[in-house]
């Protein structure tokens, strides 16, 4: 039997455990080295962060941005308004600010203010989620500290360098100041609109009390304004302001600061606001100044903070003499005890420059600018737009006749009817021509005209003249049934005065920054939108409004210069829109809430227009409207619309676009047309001009 021999001894150095250990040792070694590297990297990173934070801690914050006075100038270079943040800023300790305002501000702006270190990570995450969900910037996450850093030390440009600086200054603010100190600085510098910076200035301006005296409802109202002073100021838009106030109160209730009942009671509380504006400078051209600011911000993109305290200079088109004349005319033309409102805007038709603007009777009690209101029907003052379209299309001439009598019109392929009526149901019950129709404001003639030319052509003309208000192609369009703003009407009539050239209404000539560099310079667009001959013929026809028998004849003695225009009256609105070669003016009178006008109230627009025009142009000699090429003057027989024979008892000199004048001679009275009729007409027109000028000069 073969011996197996003794067992082979085990090599302890090569045990399975050792084998496995030898296998894992290289991996463990590499992991250890990476761990050491990571540890060193983390140590270096922490050291850098610590060093950076230490640097920020010992580094002084920059001087806060100091606001500079911004100014607004009239056309002559006189200052008409100044803006300076410091002039309406009253810093007070945090303890002198109502706890309600503090709580309301924190609730809506930064509810975790006392918990974060300058950056609200939860808020940022929520904002990112909401913005991604809506695929647009719908919610922000800036803390009060971030806002304070931006407002004190930085501009509002959207660049990465600015955002980095904002983060640095935010950290420094948190390092250098306590939370209460940061909150106090924020509430003393935040912008509340209308030049008011800080809670104390805002409380005084809006409510006439100290910030410490503000109640819950008042505090919630103020807390909502900084989000957008232009949109949430109760002076600008009460509905937006109340909606924002209610949002803040409900937010406070949801956070447990208030009960729902307290929030509802505060939301329903009636607040008493102090009228905006006081002092002589504040009372001069306030509606125009507001309009200029809105144009600068909304159209030109100028930062509102730059206007309020950036040292910029805004050069406007306002003529101080014309503005004073406008304010005086409105004041004198409206009884002191009347609740009726008025608006006036005047434009230089040669440039489009707005020379005067009065948006209401009392800016201190009501800042609504009625010059811009697109809610009032122009009535018959819209008819010149219709007649210009008809003249251009050849649908009518100055001697085209329609019968003035009660008439029922059919339209929309006979499916609809329209039965307009004349004012006070006055009709001639005979044929009248275009000059008579304009002078007497005959509605039947106007509707006959729109049926002949087509309502779509009238709308097209309105658009060319700068009227953008909504309109429908229906017969009532002829009678001014669709609302138009006084500014649109003045601009449209300015095109008539300028021989068919429309210049864009302009209020701002130039804007310069504090260094004198031009931020904006106006380049008004002037475009020939209507043939000069048609505009001139229409102007001649509208001069009849101020002559005997015209709807504006009651003020003819007040005007000592050539003038054309048109009155307009509805149940709730009265207008006179007219012009000279130098000035186009729209005047509207009525009630804000649609109250009907009495006859006496409806007659107030014309005297305001006349008084303003005469005073504004007192230093300007009377001028005739220049006659362009392409017009002819002939004698006509008004009763037939034909060329007047030498024996016609009532000859009238009439102007036509060349080629549209009548060629048939009236034979009803015997005789024949003068062989030198055109020469006689020119001589008569020349004599007529001199007679008119003599009358205007001597009146």
């Amino acid at each position: 039997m073969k011996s197996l021999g003794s067992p082979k001894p085990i090599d302890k150095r090569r045990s399975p455990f050792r084998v496995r250990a030898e296998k894992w040792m290289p991996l463990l070694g590499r992991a250890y080295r990476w761990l050491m590297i990571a540890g060193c990297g983390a140590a270096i990173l922490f050291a850098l962060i610590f060093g950076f934070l230490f640097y920020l801690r010992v580094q002084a914050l920059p001087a806060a941005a100091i606001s500079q006075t911004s100014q607004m100038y009239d056309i002559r270079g006189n200052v008409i308004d100044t803006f300076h943040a410091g002039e309406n800023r009253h810093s007070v300790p945090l303890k002198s600010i109502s706890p309600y305002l503090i709580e309301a501000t924190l609730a809506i702006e930064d509810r975790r203010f006392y918990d974060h270190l300058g950056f609200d990570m939860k808020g940022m995450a929520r904002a990112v989620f909401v913005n991604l969900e809506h695929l647009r910037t719908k919610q922000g996450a800036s803390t009060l500290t971030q806002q304070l850093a931006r407002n004190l030390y930085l501009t509002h440009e959207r660049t990465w360098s600015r955002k980095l600086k904002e983060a640095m200054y935010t950290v420094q603010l948190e390092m250098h100041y306590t939370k209460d100190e940061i909150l106090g600085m924020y509430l003393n510098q935040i912008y509340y609109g209308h030049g008011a910076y800080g809670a104390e200035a805002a409380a005084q301006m809006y409510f006439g009390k100290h910030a410490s005296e503000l109640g819950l409802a008042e505090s919630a109202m103020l807390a909502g304004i900084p989000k957008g002073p232009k949109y949430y100021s109760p002076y600008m838009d009460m509905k937006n302001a109340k909606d924002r106030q209610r949002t803040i109160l409900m937010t406070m209730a949801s956070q447990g600061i208030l009960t729902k009942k307290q929030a509802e009671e505060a939301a329903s509380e009636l607040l008493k606001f102090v009228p905006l504006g006081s002092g002589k400078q504040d009372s001069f051209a306030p509606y125009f100044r507001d309009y200029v600011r809105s144009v600068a911000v909304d159209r030109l993109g100028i930062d509102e903070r730059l206007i309020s305290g950036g040292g910029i200079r805004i050069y406007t088109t306002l003529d101080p003499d014309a503005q004073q004349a406008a304010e005086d005319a409105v004041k004198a033309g409206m009884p002191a005890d009347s609740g009726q409102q008025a608006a006036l805007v005047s434009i230089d038709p040669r440039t489009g420059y707005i020379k005067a603007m009065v948006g209401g009777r009392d800016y201190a009690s009501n800042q609504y600018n009625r010059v811009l209101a697109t809610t009032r029907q122009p009535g018959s003052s819209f008819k010149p737009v219709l007649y210009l379209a008809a003249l251009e299309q050849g649908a009518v001439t100055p001697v085209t006749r329609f019968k003035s009598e009660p008439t029922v019109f059919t339209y929309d392929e006979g499916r609809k009817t329209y039965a307009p009526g004349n004012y006070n149901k006055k009709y001639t019950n005979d044929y009248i021509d275009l000059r008579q129709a304009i002078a007497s404001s005959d509605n039947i003639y106007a509707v006959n005209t729109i049926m002949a030319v087509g309502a779509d052509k009238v709308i097209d003309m309105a658009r060319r003249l700068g009227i953008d208000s909504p309109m429908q192609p229906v017969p009532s369009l002829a009678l001014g049934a669709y609302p138009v703003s006084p500014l649109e009407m003045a601009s449209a009539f300015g095109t008539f005065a300028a021989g068919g050239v429309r210049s864009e209404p302009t209020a701002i000539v130039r804007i310069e920054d504090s260094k004198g560099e031009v931020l904006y310079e106006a380049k008004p667009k002037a475009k020939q939108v209507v043939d000069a001959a048609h505009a001139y013929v229409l102007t001649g026809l509208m001069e009849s409004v101020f002559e005997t028998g015209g709807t504006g004849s009651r003020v003819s003695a007040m005007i000592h210069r050539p003038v054309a225009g048109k009155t307009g009256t509805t149940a709730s609105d009265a207008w006179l829109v007219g012009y000279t070669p130098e000035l186009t003016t729209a005047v509207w009178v009525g009630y804000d809430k649609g109250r009907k006008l009495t006859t006496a109230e409806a007659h107030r627009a014309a005297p305001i227009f006349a008084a303003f025009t005469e005073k504004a142009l007192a230093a300007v000699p009377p001028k005739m409207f220049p006659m362009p090429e392409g017009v002819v003057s002939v004698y006509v027989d008004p009763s037939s619309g034909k060329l007047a024979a030498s024996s016609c008892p009532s000859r009238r000199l009439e102007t036509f676009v060349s080629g549209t004048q009548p060629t048939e001679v009236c034979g009803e009275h015997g005789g024949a047309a003068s062989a030198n009729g055109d020469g006689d007409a020119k001589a008569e027109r020349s004599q007529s001009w001199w007679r008119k000028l003599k009358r205007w000069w001597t009146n």
Side-chain angles (χ1 to χ4, degrees), residues 45-66:
L45 179 61
F46 282 124
L48 289 174
I49 293 174
F50 178 82
F52 184 68
L53 292 175
F54 180 79
Y55 168 79
L56 292 179
R57 181 66 182 85
V58 299
Q59 185 73 18
L61 281 161
I66 300 174

Side-chain angles (χ1 to χ4, degrees), residues 665-682:
V665 179
C666 172
E668 296 179 8
H669 308 97
S674 171
N676 192 28
D678 186 53
D680 291 344
K682 289 180 179 178

Side-chain angles (χ1 to χ4, degrees), residues 434-449:
L434 182 53
R435 181 174 293 277
Q436 293 171 288
I438 290 177
S440 63
S441 199
D442 192 275
N443 289 339
I444 305 302
Y445 193 102
V447 178
N448 270 302
T449 302

Side-chain angles (χ1 to χ4, degrees), residues 89 181 246 249 366 450 554 692:
R89 184 198 303 274
E181 289 172 335
R246 183 175 180 82
L249 290 168
N366 191 320
I450 199 171
R554 67 181 67 245
K692 287 183 178 180

Side-chain angles (χ1 to χ4, degrees), residues 288-351:
F288 178 80
R289 291 187 285 117
D290 279 356
Y291 175 68
V292 167
R293 288 191 67 154
S294 68
V295 169
V297 174
D298 297 337
R299 297 188 194 173
L300 307 182
I302 304 297
D303 193 304
E304 192 163 358
R305 294 178 183 277
L306 191 62
I307 295 176
S308 299
I312 68 172
R313 293 184 287 273
I314 305 176
Y315 297 90
T316 74
T317 61
L318 187 78
D319 183 321
D321 292 339
Q323 179 64 30
Q324 191 62 58
E327 294 182 3
D328 292 345
V330 170
K331 183 177 181 180
M334 306 295 286
D337 59 350
S338 171
Q340 190 178 5
Q341 278 292 347
L344 182 154
V345 60
S346 191
I347 297 175
D348 186 335
R350 300 163 296 186
T351 61

Side-chain angles (χ1 to χ4, degrees), residues 21 123 172 199 279 351 367 474 654:
Q172 285 184 276
T351 61
Q367 293 79 48
V474 293
E654 192 60 82

Side-chain angles (χ1 to χ4, degrees), residues 84 154 205 241 258 291 341 349 369 513 580 584 590 629 632 694:
H84 193 297
L154 300 167
M205 183 181 71
L258 305 174
Y291 175 68
Q341 278 292 347
N369 192 345
D513 65 12
T580 68
T584 302
E629 296 291 331
V632 296
K694 183 179 180 180

